[in-house]
Amino acid sequence: MPTPVSNARACLAAEAAAALDDAVAVARRRAHVQTTSLHVVYALLHSSSAAAPAGGSGGGAGTSSAASCPILRDALSRARSSVYSPRLQFKALDLCFGVALDRLPSSSSGQRQTGEVGGDEPPVSNSLMAAIKRSQANQRRNPETFHLYQQQQQSAAAGGASSFPGVKVELQQLVLAILDDPVVSRVFGDAGFRSTDIKFAILRPPPPILRFPRATRCPPLFLCNFSAGDGFEAALTPLRPVLPFSPAAGHLCSDGGDENCRRIGDILARKEGGRNPMLVGVGAGEAARDFHLAVERQNWTILPPELRGIELLSIEKAAVELKPGSVDLSSVDARLEEMGRKGEAPGVVLNIGDLKDMVDGNAECDERERCLVSELTRLLEVYHGRLWVMGWSATYETYMKFLSRHPLLDKDWNLQLLPITSVRSGKGGSLTRPPSLMKSFVPLGGFFPTAYESKDPLLSVHPSSRCQHCDEKYEEEVSIILKGRSASVDQRDARLPFWLHQSNKVDLNDGSNAAKAEDDKTILNAKIMELQTKWNQNCQRLHNSCQRITDNFSGIPCALDPSCVLGVERACNKGSENPDETQNQRGFGTSLTMSVGTQKISMASQSISLPSVMEPRNKDLLSKLQVKFSKSEQLQKEGFQSYQGDDHASPSSVTSVTTDLVLGSLPESLSKEESPASKVKEGPLKEHFSCLPSADTVKTNVSGVPVSSFAYSGCHDSWAKSIYPSIPTQLSNGRTSTSDKPLLISSSIGKKFGLSNYKSFCKSLIDKVGRQEDAAIAVSQAIFHCRAGERRRGANWRGDIWLSFNGPDKIGKRKVAAALAELIYGSRQDNFICIDLSYQDGVARPNTICDQQEVSENDVQSRGKLNTDLIAAELRKKPHSVVFLDNVDKADPLVQNSLSQAIHTGRFPDSHGREFSINNAIFILSSGRTQGQNFSQKIDCNSFCEETILAAQSWQMKIFLEPSQEHISSSSKSNKVSCASSQELRYNQVYLQTDFSRKRKLDVYDDCNSHCETLISPKRARTVSKEFLDLNLPVEEIEANDHDSSSHGEYSKSQNSDPWIKEFFDLVDATINFRPFDFDALAKNLLKDISHIFCRAFGSESLLEIDQKVMEEILAVAWSLEDRGALDNWFEQVLGRSIIKAKHWSNLSSHHNVLRLVACEDASVDKYAPGVLLPLEIIIN
Amino acid sequence: MGGNSKLGDGSGKLLEMLNVRVVGAGERVVVLSHGFGTDQSAWNRVLPYLQRDYRVVLYDLVCAGSVNPDHFDFRRYTTLDAYVDDLLAILDALGVESCFFVGHSFSAMVGILAAIRRPELFLRLILIGASPRFLNDDDYHGGFELEDFDKVFAAMEANYEAWVQGFAPLAVGADVPAAVREFSRTLFNMRPDISLFVSRTVFSSDLRGVLGLVRTPCVVVQTAKDVSVPSSVAAYLKAHLGGRTAIEHIPVEGHLPHLSAPAALVQVLRRALASPR
């Protein structure tokens, strides 16, 4: 039975009532029968934009609901999954609610006059009313307002006026309750929200919750608490911190000391093997002391039970100081004998202390030490099982030294090394722990200063002012007090592990406890202080002469008292807070786990619903569709084939069909024929879908027949193949395009591959690349082959093409690939993916010209990504593209895997297993090798080899002026421009003979005596005489360099990629070999240009000597540039001007001058000339 | 007590608790152990490279965000030894007789201790971003002063999220947004109190005295710039580790090369795993 609106409104606070009114207004506007939770949420969502006036009924006193919207909106914006854009998700949410509201029954047949109040108000539905009731109940139980309500109730009872329960529901509570409504949460779910997340977000104000010490005032409520609609009691669950009071619980929050004791105990309790612990480590001394104390205090809880009652004798002091040797040991002997008689204790542990003291002793001590050791050995033998020895050493070295002095002692003594790694104080046990570190152990550090005051005396005064006995007594008393207190405060909590652990107990009376605890705290502090002073005084009075054991307390007094004090502090801090804060504090742990949970969830949802995933999915779907269609085509073709066989027996008719198709205009009749056919086939296709093999056979039929029958023609085999088999693909392309829009491009691509286009394609490819004609022809052939369906991979009917580019001319290969992208897909920006697999993420890329000239792909986003993921991401962005993978032979196993899978399945998987369709991609795998052979050997007759050019970096250039006598004497007089590498003493002189015949001849002189220095002239002489003899030297050197780098970087390659690459290259559609680039020709060309400029500027008498490095720079630029324009510009603008400047500068034109253009290999260029990676200025020196 | 009882409980439970995974199809076993602030997902980018040739054991440290925080016993995990217990228990439960151990940062410490305790179990330790001691000492440069730590701890307590946001890019070092994101995620997954507790454990640990006890050959992987580990530490490790020790420099920056530069790390790993004993 629906409730009248006014009744419902009476339960709500102003804000909530306003929200309800909005909801009612919405319901009325939509002419719905009832106002439901959906309306409320809808109203809340829209209130900001609509700012609906509180619909006629003035119940909410016209409160604008603007204030209400932030609650839900904010929560939503925080709860939404980060996968979608907020705008999108909110839009989706709006839509979902709109739809949900549309589904509600509307009161079309006049308004039902149910409510006694305003008949025009759709009454509140049961579910909404239930939500209101729920929130009312929750709010009543909320401790924040508990008292308030009780008062209110009492006063209400006294007044006897109000008929409804006195709780006015706040908007927050209302929203929370409404979110529990399954209808609402379903709609939220549809929009990709989880109502639990939203609830959480509502309850958790955004930033401050993550603050450690003080949480905000909102009650912490967590997922687990939402179990039922009214699960708010759980929120009040006290998460009491552990109060480790009793000695038994004393080790609860120790910081490693007890752990070490336990380990020592474990070793002592061993039956066989090394049973005498030798502590090694910076913290070993501390650990030994801890153990000592534990035994002294008879703190057996941390020791194995069989050691209960063990005794510990320390001969540390004796060993250090005078070593009275056997005296001590005889007492041990006596004690042991006595014990043996009584059989009371398990035995005695003899602590020999720091080995360093023994090792460092002088010769005299040595004697005693030996004595001691042998005595100990004897005792150990005698009292086997009842006597233990333990010692410690801060460093392993000391222990080794000790062992070296007493060889085999570790066997004799059954020593067991125990590494001790935990150090409590800042510096290896020598400093007292600074209070700040202590402080930070306390969760609410600085919150209650009194607590610290109580601690400080414990830490600092106590060890120095009391002797051991007094100390013990003092501690006893303290612990008694603590025990008493722990009983009084809350016994139950003792079993909780730590201050953040959750418990399931319900404790509503937290507040009263808290007050009590606060009192307790102060009392306790006072008591402890009292005790301290008492025992300090006692101690000073009585035991003044006692041996101080301050040593033992230098770090932390002992395991017991800090923990006690800490525990007390914690208890105090915990207890004395107001309940809210305590709750928050406790809740924090849970809130975090909770947030972890949600994060995980969101991660999960991310992995599922990430748009990037959706996309490939779609694509997968598409490709599936395509497969489906292609299959249908095949089926049709089967029919078509036979039909063809009948009617179109003559090849010419078939070719006519081809040309038709090639032109892209599907014959009307054909397409008409097809479309119904494909429709008809849709149904049965699903059956065929599962039986792939049959489809395959059909396909082979299709592609096989025409080839075999039409390969008769007189043209080249390849030509025939590339033309004729194109029928089926053309068909398929055409057909898929009719049925499948996204494939339009591929079909349009298909159009380009007609017979008539082949030549033009080939031509434009060559034009674009400008070299490597053979390769370009081979590439176009291969492409046409593949597009024609002649696949070397056979069975698969796919659009992807795999080519491998082998051989040198890295830039050329890239150019070809880029040109392909432009020709086939339209743009070299949007359809070209170029990734060099030899570069691994993050590894600094060499700053070479050739690499910088290419697209700067190493933007921030790609950094740190695996190459596989990089490729996959690019493929996702640009599915229609040429994927140029350079240096495939250096691909890492991941990429290898992905590539292998891609070539087999047509999907490229990334490292997360997501797959990307490559159906519209052309993969070009480039590697430097030709038939397993590195190309560098092949071009060693050239002066410039590809590697050096590739390695060329852009350095600043300099021009030196030199008088040239020597130079001219050593070489022919007529040289104008020479290229030499002078800096490394690798004289590489390229003389350009520009003199009479105007015929340029390139001579290369190479000298590789890079080890020798400065002996310039003899070397030159030799250079000239040797002529070409030294030419292979640089090659060797290069190879050596190569080897160096490969030994480091290409480890994986040499190890595992060789067989893979061989295998893989067998799979590709075509292998295209590239010829080495003729750098010498290019150099010759460039030199010609330079000499032109030089001649013009300087006249014919002088020489320009170009450093090898500079030449490499220029070559690299020229090689990798698209066109020479920029370089020519540089020649004119930069080089030319510099030469002219140099001429002015020298003003010595009477002499034969030598200008040397040199690269400064210590300074990279800071300003580049426009368009080229060459310096904007050349320094003239 | 602690470790033994764990074993007694049934190692299956431990394996499940710490999300132990064994992947790959090699004969030799490689244990990948993540460091502080990450979980085993940190190895995801390295894993594919190793999977083919090695049987890779992955697990989460008990302090990782991916492990149920209830399992983190504040009494037990007070020293590194408890983590060593876990590691050894896992290896025993899996029946591993010898393995390569790749440990990052915190786990490198664990690995060192494990190798001391069970030298026969470890063929080689590959220590990434390892440091025996983070605090400076008289003649030792660990990279941190005590005050630094107090500051760090205070920051962690004050606002864990903010600290994570600030620390993650710093630790990753290199400008790799993906890695920073990933590290922030896993770091933030840790419950702050556990995170704080563990970092205290780490910073109060001092392995310098025990390095000599290591007999296993070690490879110390050192990045070019590591906020947590100065390069002198690598030299210190080489000088003091008892076994044959080599240093591998990776030319990348950051404390988490397996996140920021996995491929570079993999090269080093493969070399370290392959080189003869």
Side-chain angles (χ1 to χ4, degrees):
Chain A
M1 194 61 197
T3 319
V5 176
S6 59
N7 285 11
R9 198 184 292 129
C11 305
L12 302 175
E15 255 185 348
L20 179 68
D21 287 333
D22 288 349
V24 171
V26 169
R28 196 177 48 221
R29 208 166 42 237
R30 294 194 169 229
H32 285 151
V33 182
Q34 295 179 343
T35 308
T36 63
S37 310
L38 284 178
H39 291 104
V40 178
V41 178
Y42 190 78
L44 282 175
L45 286 176
H46 281 263
S47 52
S48 58
S49 51
S57 53
T63 321
S64 145
S65 51
S68 66
C69 66
I71 290 186
L72 191 58
R73 282 251 162 194
D74 277 6
L76 285 175
S77 61
R78 272 181 290 127
R80 68 183 190 80
S81 82
S82 52
V83 175
Y84 308 107
S85 77
R87 206 175 51 79
L88 212 70
Q89 212 176 356
F90 282 128
K91 196 148 194 176
L93 187 66
D94 272 359
L95 217 72
C96 288
F97 270 101
V99 169
L101 287 178
D102 287 344
R103 285 211 191 113
L104 290 177
S106 60
S107 54
S108 53
S109 60
Q111 307 231 325
R112 277 171 55 192
Q113 305 282 323
T114 35
E116 297 94 295
V117 202
D120 57 339
E121 290 186 340
V124 175
S125 76
N126 283 339
S127 63
L128 179 56
M129 203 55 214
I132 293 174
K133 288 261 159 64
R134 270 203 310 271
S135 53
Q136 218 170 7
N138 285 338
Q139 201 168 332
R140 202 183 301 132
R141 282 187 290 254
N142 193 332
E144 255 188 292
T145 46
F146 186 72
H147 295 292
L148 184 76
Y149 286 124
Q150 279 200 324
Q151 283 168 10
Q152 204 179 352
Q153 226 159 17
Q154 276 160 10
S155 66
S162 60
S163 54
F164 59 87
V167 181
K168 291 255 189 195
V169 175
E170 296 291 338
L171 185 63
Q172 191 191 27
Q173 297 286 351
L174 179 66
V175 173
L176 285 174
I178 283 176
L179 284 171
D180 281 328
D181 196 329
V183 183
V184 174
S185 55
R186 207 190 55 227
V187 177
F188 271 119
D190 289 345
F193 290 95
R194 292 157 180 277
S195 44
T196 47
D197 288 353
I198 303 169
K199 265 195 277 191
F200 184 60
I202 289 175
L203 289 169
R204 194 192 63 169
I209 188 73
L210 291 159
R211 211 161 285 273
F212 225 109
R214 299 152 187 262
T216 45
R217 287 180 47 77
C218 87
L221 300 171
F222 306 106
L223 267 186
C224 52
N225 301 334
F226 285 122
S227 50
D230 54 352
F232 280 72
E233 301 97 315
L236 306 177
T237 302
L239 302 167
R240 284 245 148 203
V242 163
L243 311 175
F245 296 124
S246 60
H251 62 275
L252 275 184
C253 57
S254 68
D255 45 1
D258 290 348
E259 180 69 19
N260 289 333
C261 289
R262 200 173 296 131
R263 280 177 189 280
I264 296 170
D266 282 346
I267 289 175
L268 291 177
R270 276 192 199 170
K271 289 285 173 281
E272 67 244 2
R275 50 201 298 274
N276 296 314
M278 180 59 63
L279 317 185
V280 179
V282 176
E286 271 174 22
R289 276 192 288 274
D290 281 347
F291 183 72
H292 197 128
L293 283 176
V295 171
E296 241 168 42
R297 264 156 237 272
Q298 315 207 322
N299 185 5
W300 305 124
T301 47
I302 57 170
L303 295 180
E306 57 265 39
L307 292 181
R308 180 175 286 272
I310 202 168
E311 283 180 29
L312 192 136
L313 291 177
S314 178
I315 56 167
E316 189 167 5
K317 290 277 185 303
V320 177
E321 285 159 13
L322 282 169
K323 286 195 186 143
S326 47
V327 181
D328 250 339
L329 289 178
S330 62
S331 74
V332 173
D333 205 357
R335 176 84 187 113
L336 274 169
E337 263 173 37
E338 185 193 338
M339 276 167 74
R341 279 197 303 275
K342 288 182 185 169
E344 51 179 11
V348 170
V349 179
L350 207 57
N351 183 9
I352 59 170
D354 194 351
L355 296 181
K356 193 160 190 275
D357 301 331
M358 305 182 82
V359 171
D360 287 350
N362 52 25
E364 183 200 359
C365 291
D366 248 25
E367 192 56 38
R368 294 209 182 113
E369 182 191 323
R370 238 175 272 285
C371 192
L372 178 83
V373 167
S374 60
E375 184 69 5
L376 263 177
T377 316
R378 188 187 65 80
L379 281 177
L380 277 173
E381 260 170 40
V382 172
Y383 298 104
H384 181 77
R386 296 201 4 254
L387 177 66
W388 289 272
V389 171
M390 69 177 274
W392 62 269
S393 151
T395 65
Y396 174 70
E397 283 72 20
T398 312
Y399 171 69
M400 288 313 285
K401 220 164 162 190
F402 179 69
L403 271 194
S404 67
R405 291 164 76 121
H406 308 282
L408 290 179
L409 197 65
D410 51 338
K411 294 279 177 297
D412 291 346
W413 283 12
N414 269 333
L415 286 183
Q416 172 65 44
L417 279 182
L418 181 64
I420 301 290
T421 54
S422 62
V423 185
R424 266 171 292 160
S425 52
K427 282 189 179 179
S430 56
L431 293 173
T432 51
R433 167 193 275 171
S436 59
L437 204 66
M438 202 64 194
K439 232 178 266 177
S440 48
F441 263 107
V442 183
L444 297 170
F447 205 76
F448 288 100
T450 47
Y452 286 106
E453 279 157 26
S454 77
K455 181 193 68 191
D456 284 341
L458 267 179
L459 281 179
S460 51
V461 181
H462 147 16
S464 59
S465 64
R466 282 189 300 275
C467 65
Q468 199 175 343
H469 285 284
C470 297
D471 190 43
E472 271 168 11
K473 288 201 173 127
Y474 157 72
E475 272 162 21
E476 253 175 52
E477 289 204 30
V478 169
S479 68
I480 286 166
I481 288 172
L482 290 175
K483 255 188 238 168
R485 184 174 178 277
S486 74
S488 75
V489 172
D490 203 343
Q491 201 68 37
R492 287 170 293 181
D493 295 328
R495 66 185 161 90
L496 293 176
F498 203 61
W499 53 289
L500 273 171
H501 277 217
Q502 190 183 351
S503 95
N504 295 317
K505 279 176 295 166
V506 179
D507 187 2
L508 285 165
N509 300 323
D510 207 25
S512 54
N513 259 356
K516 202 167 141 199
E518 188 157 21
D519 286 345
D520 272 5
K521 181 203 74 189
T522 42
I523 294 168
L524 190 78
N525 283 340
K527 273 185 186 164
I528 290 176
M529 293 291 276
E530 220 177 86
L531 273 175
Q532 269 171 9
T533 43
K534 178 181 141 197
W535 279 105
N536 283 348
Q537 282 168 3
N538 265 356
C539 183
Q540 277 183 347
R541 209 176 50 234
L542 296 172
H543 306 281
N544 229 350
S545 58
C546 272
Q547 191 191 16
R548 294 282 167 93
I549 50 160
T550 48
D551 245 15
N552 292 351
F553 292 100
S554 62
I556 289 298
C558 67
L560 188 63
D561 38 354
S563 65
C564 281
V565 173
L566 277 179
V568 174
E569 271 173 54
R570 256 176 223 147
C572 296
N573 290 340
K574 283 295 170 184
S576 53
E577 270 180 290
N578 67 48
D580 272 351
E581 270 173 336
T582 345
Q583 271 170 25
N584 280 335
Q585 189 69 31
R586 287 168 201 151
F588 188 46
T590 15
S591 89
L592 265 147
T593 45
M594 168 61 205
S595 72
V596 168
T598 50
Q599 209 165 345
K600 269 183 199 154
I601 289 164
S602 72
M603 287 305 288
S605 69
Q606 215 167 12
S607 67
I608 294 165
S609 54
L610 208 71
S612 65
V613 183
M614 296 297 275
E615 210 175 321
R617 286 262 164 82
N618 280 342
K619 263 170 220 150
D620 288 354
L621 203 68
L622 284 183
S623 59
K624 260 183 207 157
L625 265 178
Q626 202 185 11
V627 170
K628 214 191 258 177
F629 278 119
S630 67
K631 263 172 213 150
S632 77
E633 285 145 22
Q634 285 149 22
L635 289 172
Q636 285 166 24
K637 253 172 257 152
E638 198 179 25
F640 182 59
Q641 202 72 41
S642 57
Y643 158 78
Q644 205 180 33
D646 291 338
D647 287 347
H648 302 272
S650 72
S652 58
S653 65
V654 180
T655 39
S656 74
V657 172
T658 337
T659 44
D660 271 349
L661 290 173
V662 160
L663 289 173
S665 57
L666 275 168
E668 295 273 323
S669 58
L670 255 180
S671 61
K672 267 177 199 162
E673 230 176 61
E674 281 157 19
S675 50
S678 58
K679 267 179 208 155
V680 172
K681 291 250 157 83
E682 281 285 354
L685 242 178
K686 273 162 200 154
E687 297 163 25
H688 287 291
F689 198 54
S690 56
C691 49
L692 249 158
S694 68
D696 280 347
T697 52
V698 170
K699 190 191 301 167
T700 44
N701 275 346
V702 173
S703 56
V705 170
V707 178
S708 53
S709 51
F710 302 132
Y712 70 97
S713 64
C715 19
H716 290 286
D717 224 28
S718 57
W719 275 77
K721 271 181 195 160
S722 66
I723 299 160
Y724 293 111
S726 67
I727 308 162
T729 17
Q730 295 312 314
L731 278 171
S732 81
N733 274 335
R735 255 179 233 168
T736 40
S737 73
T738 54
S739 49
D740 219 9
K741 266 184 207 161
L743 287 167
L744 271 175
I745 297 178
S746 71
S747 70
S748 75
I749 292 158
K751 271 182 227 163
K752 285 186 179 168
F753 295 100
L755 164 66
S756 55
N757 280 346
Y758 170 73
K759 273 182 182 166
S760 65
F761 182 86
C762 201
K763 192 163 165 290
S764 44
L765 189 61
I766 292 169
D767 282 353
K768 280 203 184 298
V769 179
R771 56 175 185 261
Q772 301 283 9
E773 289 82 3
D774 296 352
I777 290 168
V779 167
S780 15
Q781 267 178 15
I783 298 251
F784 274 75
H785 250 223
C786 296
R787 287 296 180 193
E790 169 77 0
R791 313 303 300 273
R792 266 171 68 182
R793 256 168 302 140
N796 296 340
W797 199 268
R798 301 196 326 239
D800 51 324
I801 294 174
W802 294 75
L803 305 174
S804 73
F805 286 8
N806 291 340
D809 197 2
K810 192 176 149 89
I811 302 282
K813 287 188 283 189
R814 194 160 64 212
K815 272 187 177 168
V816 170
L820 266 185
E822 202 174 338
L823 283 174
I824 296 177
Y825 297 107
S827 152
R828 70 171 57 196
Q829 265 84 46
D830 303 335
N831 304 108
F832 185 48
I833 301 170
C834 174
I835 290 167
D836 190 336
L837 296 179
S838 65
Y839 294 135
Q840 310 284 10
D841 49 8
V843 181
R845 290 171 182 230
N847 221 9
T848 62
I849 291 175
C850 295
D851 282 316
Q852 288 181 355
Q853 288 283 5
E854 72 184 83
V855 208
S856 61
E857 72 202 34
N858 55 341
D859 60 283
V860 184
Q861 283 308 317
S862 73
R863 240 178 278 161
K865 272 190 185 171
L866 299 178
N867 275 333
T868 328
D869 293 341
L870 205 59
I871 298 169
E874 290 285 311
L875 268 175
R876 187 169 65 80
K877 270 189 273 174
K878 326 170 181 170
H880 300 282
S881 55
V882 170
V883 184
F884 180 71
L885 304 177
D886 211 348
N887 293 321
V888 229
D889 43 339
K890 289 171 191 160
D892 57 59
L894 255 191
V895 174
Q896 289 179 7
N897 254 341
S898 291
L899 285 177
S900 298
Q901 198 173 327
I903 204 171
H904 283 116
T905 64
R907 312 262 181 76
F908 188 92
D910 69 4
S911 69
H912 310 291
R914 292 178 297 194
E915 292 188 340
F916 299 86
S917 169
I918 53 162
N919 208 26
N920 294 304
I922 296 176
F923 271 80
I924 296 175
L925 312 165
S926 152
S927 75
R929 51 180 68 193
T930 40
Q931 315 302 333
Q933 186 188 23
N934 231 329
F935 62 86
S936 60
Q937 284 100 340
K938 289 174 70 181
I939 53 159
D940 53 9
C941 57
N942 292 340
S943 56
F944 298 99
C945 75
E946 190 166 330
E947 267 117 347
T948 48
I949 304 294
L950 279 174
Q953 306 193 18
S954 52
W955 301 115
Q956 184 57 263
M957 293 181 190
K958 251 186 195 173
I959 292 181
F960 284 103
L961 280 165
E962 269 182 9
S964 63
Q965 326 75 314
E966 164 214 77
H967 207 69
I968 283 171
S969 68
S970 69
S971 60
S972 62
K973 299 158 210 93
S974 49
N975 293 335
K976 288 276 157 46
V977 180
S978 70
C979 173
S981 79
S982 50
Q983 289 223 326
E984 288 183 43
L985 294 172
R986 262 178 50 194
Y987 291 98
N988 207 3
Q989 298 159 353
V990 182
Y991 293 108
L992 223 64
Q993 300 182 333
T994 51
D995 213 274
F996 26 90
S997 59
R998 309 301 297 170
K999 207 174 150 196
R1000 287 171 173 79
K1001 184 173 160 250
L1002 194 70
D1003 285 350
V1004 182
Y1005 300 91
D1006 208 320
D1007 186 343
C1008 272
N1009 300 312
S1010 48
H1011 312 295
C1012 319
E1013 276 118 290
T1014 55
L1015 296 168
I1016 296 172
S1017 45
K1019 211 157 289 153
R1020 287 235 171 101
R1022 234 179 74 205
T1023 304
V1024 175
S1025 65
K1026 271 190 179 174
E1027 305 242 334
F1028 284 97
L1029 288 179
D1030 280 339
L1031 272 181
N1032 42 5
L1033 279 176
V1035 173
E1036 270 174 28
E1037 191 181 311
I1038 287 153
E1039 276 170 356
N1041 283 339
D1042 219 19
H1043 188 70
D1044 277 354
S1045 68
S1046 69
S1047 70
H1048 192 86
E1050 298 162 27
Y1051 185 83
S1052 56
K1053 168 201 153 191
S1054 60
Q1055 204 188 30
N1056 49 33
S1057 70
D1058 265 350
W1060 175 80
I1061 200 81
K1062 259 182 208 142
E1063 211 172 284
F1064 193 76
F1065 275 4
D1066 285 344
L1067 291 172
V1068 296
D1069 296 310
T1071 302
I1072 290 113
N1073 287 317
F1074 280 68
R1075 279 171 309 167
F1077 184 74
D1078 190 355
F1079 287 105
D1080 292 349
L1082 182 62
K1084 194 170 130 190
N1085 247 323
L1086 291 173
L1087 282 179
K1088 192 169 104 188
D1089 292 348
I1090 294 173
S1091 77
H1092 265 306
I1093 292 165
F1094 185 68
C1095 279
R1096 241 184 311 157
F1098 235 89
S1100 55
E1101 293 300 294
S1102 298
L1103 262 175
L1104 176 63
E1105 191 184 275
I1106 299 175
D1107 181 61
Q1108 167 107 21
K1109 287 282 168 199
V1110 173
M1111 201 60 215
E1112 279 167 7
E1113 265 183 64
I1114 297 172
L1115 274 176
V1117 168
W1119 185 34
S1120 53
L1121 270 184
E1122 285 300 318
D1123 61 305
R1124 283 279 302 274
L1127 187 60
D1128 289 339
N1129 259 344
W1130 184 81
F1131 281 154
E1132 286 291 330
Q1133 303 291 324
V1134 181
L1135 190 60
R1137 256 193 296 141
S1138 308
I1139 291 170
I1140 290 167
K1141 234 192 262 175
K1143 187 186 175 189
H1144 289 311
W1145 208 70
S1146 68
N1147 243 348
L1148 295 164
S1149 47
S1150 57
H1151 283 278
H1152 290 291
N1153 276 319
V1154 173
L1155 285 171
R1156 283 168 56 195
L1157 183 57
V1158 167
C1160 322
E1161 285 192 67
D1162 43 357
S1164 23
V1165 180
D1166 25 270
K1167 263 190 195 165
Y1168 289 111
V1172 284
L1173 287 169
L1174 290 172
L1176 185 61
E1177 299 261 331
I1178 296 176
I1179 301 166
I1180 298 165
N1181 205 340
Chain B
M1 274 159 64
N4 299 341
S5 68
K6 268 270 150 49
L7 269 176
D9 284 352
S11 42
K13 197 180 155 219
L14 181 74
L15 296 187
E16 190 187 336
M17 224 170 72
L18 299 181
N19 309 318
V20 178
R21 274 198 307 151
V22 182
V23 292
E27 276 178 25
R28 285 174 300 174
V29 178
V30 176
V31 180
L32 299 181
S33 187
H34 67 85
F36 171 77
T38 52
D39 53 43
Q40 59 178 280
S41 69
W43 299 111
N44 277 358
R45 288 125 138 295
V46 173
L47 187 58
Y49 297 97
L50 303 177
Q51 233 165 331
R52 197 188 58 188
D53 300 328
Y54 301 94
R55 201 148 71 90
V56 184
V57 177
L58 292 149
Y59 76 105
D60 286 336
L61 294 174
V62 74
C63 58
S66 48
V67 173
N68 185 346
D70 290 344
H71 294 311
F72 190 86
D73 186 342
F74 285 89
R75 287 165 299 178
R76 189 170 161 239
Y77 293 97
T78 49
T79 65
L80 294 174
D81 297 297
Y83 298 92
V84 178
D85 287 338
D86 282 350
L87 171 63
L88 294 177
I90 287 169
L91 294 181
D92 288 341
L94 293 175
V96 174
E97 280 166 1
S98 67
C99 66
F100 293 96
F101 179 87
V102 182
H104 170 241
S105 166
F106 179 77
S107 277
M109 290 174 143
V110 172
I112 288 173
L113 291 178
I116 291 172
R117 225 187 294 169
R118 297 272 296 277
E120 80 285 353
L121 206 52
F122 298 94
L123 294 169
R124 186 177 296 260
L125 300 180
I126 295 144
L127 310 172
I128 305 165
S131 173
R133 173 71 165 162
F134 287 100
L135 285 179
N136 294 338
D137 211 337
D138 298 332
D139 49 355
Y140 173 79
H141 181 62
F144 292 90
E145 288 295 340
L146 201 56
E147 298 83 56
D148 300 343
F149 275 137
D150 293 334
K151 269 183 224 151
V152 168
F153 290 146
M156 280 171 89
E157 276 176 48
N159 188 341
Y160 187 66
E161 191 187 23
W163 174 77
V164 168
Q165 302 298 345
F167 178 66
L170 205 66
V172 171
D175 189 6
V176 184
V180 174
R181 254 196 321 274
E182 181 65 14
F183 184 53
S184 315
R185 179 183 73 79
T186 49
L187 192 55
F188 193 62
N189 268 354
M190 290 178 78
R191 217 170 68 182
D193 58 327
I194 293 179
S195 174
L196 198 65
F197 191 86
V198 174
S199 38
R200 279 187 209 296
T201 309
V202 173
F203 293 134
S204 65
S205 296
D206 191 338
L207 268 62
R208 283 175 296 162
V210 302
L211 291 179
L213 298 176
V214 178
R215 285 276 161 262
T216 317
C218 296
V219 177
V220 177
V221 179
Q222 175 77 29
T223 57
K225 190 161 159 270
D226 189 329
V227 281
S228 312
V229 184
S231 50
S232 63
V233 169
Y236 185 92
L237 281 173
K238 182 169 163 57
H240 288 82
L241 277 169
R244 250 181 332 108
T245 307
I247 300 183
E248 287 272 9
H249 289 281
I250 310 185
V252 294
E253 294 187 357
H255 185 54
L256 299 127
H258 48 320
L259 282 179
S260 55
L265 179 65
V266 162
Q267 287 181 359
V268 170
L269 282 186
R270 292 199 75 95
R271 218 168 330 159
L273 295 176
S275 51
R277 290 199 67 189

